[in-house]
Amino acid sequence: MTAADGTLSVAFHLTHNCNLRCVYCYTGAKFASGMTDDVADRGADFALAEARQQGVGHLEIIFFGGEPLMKLDLLCRIADRLHDAAGRLRTSFKMSTNGTLLTARAVEELAKRRVYVSISLDGPPELQAMQRPFAAGHDTTAALAGAIDGAIDRLLRWNPCANAHCVITPSTAGRLDTSVQWIFARGFAYVSTALDYSANWTRANLKELESAYKRLAGWYFDRTLSGEKLYLSCFDDRIHSRTRGPLERSERCHIGHRQFSIAPSGRLYPCVQFVREDEDLSLALGDVFAGFDSQRRATLAACSEQPKPECGGCALADRCSSWCACVNWQSTGRVDRASPLLCEHERLLMPIADRLANRLWKRRNTIFLHKHYNPAYPALSFAERKLHESVE
């Protein structure tokens, strides 16, 4: 892949504030400090200049927080500025939101700018309230459920291919199958899952998660045989690593180079995991006004991309994401050490995903074959869903 085929991914952390207090949030303490117009404008110009300097063909902008919809007007300002100044450089916009502020106006403004929205959902209302209370701290089951119900309906009417993101914690591990099924039942076709790598996981928690994965694999198998097209990252990503091979080195994120974050202050960080309260300057790589600290940037790249000695001889080394510096840092505090939790998780999940793939392969299931052996599947899937909508 040439540089012109590549992507530069830049995350704008619009605010440190959020209206929820999710138990697993890794973005640090919440306080009313946000990005100014001046920093936003300079950050947009900096991202464009960096993309052109690297010679990439695609600039991907991610709006992050805190809760980015608390700064909707600033988000629109950045998107408009980048769109107007990009020229021949292809731009795309993404956003991760807790959904509670996804009002009709927000959807309208995001739709105008083609911002792809991923909404965080942990499962049924009682589970949502347990892990994602409002900042006031009172019982929020009914209020949270109402806000999220409206957000889901508005989001899927606008984009039926929107993604829902489900975080797995030790306290919810044994209910993952019912949580995921609840999300799909709400109308989503794309669901991604991720562990809370900062939590204190026990062997018992992992055994509960393994049982939930096995039940979920049975459900996935039955739904696929029934003709339903769906994407579930915990299975599909691992099946993909088997059918199409591991990610090429050029496809990985390369934190601080092909991927970086801009804090509300304008400081530059390697990835979204590192910003937090924006107080540990040892993690910063410069700022949008003075540019990158080239020495720090080179040192980070050397540390994060070196082989992990603890992965030597592992049969799954080429298929797991032990190369992900963000996961490693969140779990171990170091970018050059593979996460032990990631290792345990992949050894637990990979055989389940492989058995699921083998069962579908033996059935010569057309959806499975199309999804994992046809490179055009994502585009075709989106087109098919839009066509189905227009017919209805």
Side-chain angles (χ1 to χ4, degrees):
M1 183 173 68
T2 65
D5 298 320
T7 296
L8 172 64
S9 181
V10 181
F12 281 75
H13 293 243
L14 302 181
T15 179
H16 288 289
N17 208 1
C18 185
N19 61 331
L20 297 187
R21 294 295 183 267
C22 302
V23 298
Y24 48 74
C25 183
Y26 55 75
T27 63
K30 304 296 177 286
F31 51 96
S33 177
M35 186 176 286
T36 65
D37 289 352
D38 183 46
V39 170
D41 291 346
R42 183 66 189 103
D45 295 344
F46 182 84
L48 281 172
E50 183 66 20
R52 287 167 177 150
Q53 182 177 333
Q54 291 191 25
V56 299
H58 175 211
L59 175 60
E60 175 187 71
I61 299 298
I62 301 169
F63 297 111
F64 210 72
E67 170 50 51
L69 285 180
M70 298 184 83
K71 302 280 282 186
L72 175 60
D73 290 341
L74 185 67
L75 183 157
C76 295
R77 178 189 181 100
I78 295 170
D80 291 343
R81 187 180 183 93
L82 285 166
H83 180 269
D84 292 343
R88 299 181 65 181
L89 177 66
R90 184 167 67 91
T91 57
S92 64
F93 304 99
K94 296 180 179 179
M95 185 189 70
S96 177
T97 177
N98 63 39
T100 58
L101 302 178
L102 201 59
T103 62
R105 181 201 168 225
V107 169
E108 180 182 0
E109 296 295 338
L110 296 169
K112 286 179 184 177
R113 294 159 178 86
R114 298 185 179 180
V115 180
Y116 181 84
V117 176
S118 177
I119 186 172
S120 297
L121 293 172
D122 288 348
E126 68 277 7
L127 195 152
Q128 296 273 357
M130 178 182 74
Q131 295 205 139
R132 310 173 69 209
F134 279 110
H138 54 273
D139 182 15
T140 60
T141 303
L144 190 60
I148 289 177
D149 282 348
I152 291 173
D153 291 343
R154 284 187 286 271
L155 179 59
L156 291 179
R157 279 200 303 270
W158 163 40
N159 180 8
C161 293
N163 179 73
H165 184 72
C166 179
V167 176
I168 310 167
T169 66
S171 60
T172 63
R175 297 179 58 183
L176 177 64
D177 53 324
T178 57
S179 294
V180 168
Q181 290 169 36
W182 181 89
I183 295 171
F184 275 110
R186 295 308 309 268
F188 287 92
Y190 298 84
V191 176
S192 59
T193 62
L195 289 189
D196 175 8
Y197 285 98
S198 65
N200 182 26
W201 287 81
T202 66
R203 292 286 180 183
N205 298 145
L206 290 172
K207 288 298 293 182
E208 290 179 337
L209 180 58
E210 182 178 22
S211 297
Y213 275 138
K214 288 178 179 177
R215 295 191 297 270
L216 192 55
W219 173 87
Y220 180 107
F221 178 81
D222 291 340
R223 297 298 285 266
T224 303
L225 286 189
S226 72
E228 183 171 346
K229 295 179 179 180
L230 54 88
Y231 165 81
L232 180 56
S233 69
C234 58
F235 296 141
D236 284 307
D237 286 357
R238 285 153 187 85
I239 295 172
H240 183 97
S241 73
R242 180 179 177 182
T243 59
R244 301 188 192 178
L247 290 178
E248 298 290 339
R249 188 178 184 84
S250 60
E251 296 178 282
R252 299 177 183 179
C253 62
H254 299 290
I255 60 169
H257 183 66
R258 298 295 282 273
Q259 175 175 321
F260 61 86
S261 285
I262 303 175
S265 65
R267 293 192 186 95
L268 302 169
Y269 287 88
C271 187
V272 295
Q273 302 272 8
F274 294 78
V275 176
R276 300 201 173 186
E277 292 90 354
D278 191 19
E279 294 178 342
D280 187 352
L281 301 189
S282 68
L283 300 174
L285 299 177
D287 61 62
V288 296
F289 298 99
F292 281 108
D293 182 320
S294 57
Q295 183 57 53
R296 283 190 178 184
R297 201 179 187 193
T299 300
L300 174 71
C303 290
S304 62
E305 294 179 15
Q306 66 185 18
K308 310 297 187 293
E310 56 269 34
C311 298
C314 177
L316 302 178
D318 288 339
R319 295 180 60 191
C320 87
S321 54
S322 60
W323 51 266
C324 180
C326 297
V327 167
N328 294 336
W329 186 77
Q330 188 181 8
S331 181
T332 70
R334 295 174 55 174
V335 299
D336 59 348
R337 181 186 174 194
S339 164
L341 175 58
L342 175 67
C343 178
E344 290 286 335
H345 179 253
E346 295 306 300
R347 290 176 182 272
L348 172 158
L349 177 56
M350 204 78 76
I352 298 173
D354 286 351
R355 287 194 294 270
L356 172 60
N358 286 339
R359 292 179 67 194
L360 290 168
W361 169 262
K362 289 177 180 178
R363 294 291 190 101
R364 294 299 190 270
N365 179 264
T366 55
I367 291 177
F368 169 78
L369 296 175
H370 189 45
K371 183 192 300 185
H372 290 288
Y373 293 91
N374 180 0
Y377 176 80
L380 289 174
S381 178
F382 177 81
E384 288 165 354
R385 288 182 67 83
K386 296 300 287 185
L387 178 62
H388 179 68
E389 272 193 324
S390 66
V391 171
E392 289 184 334

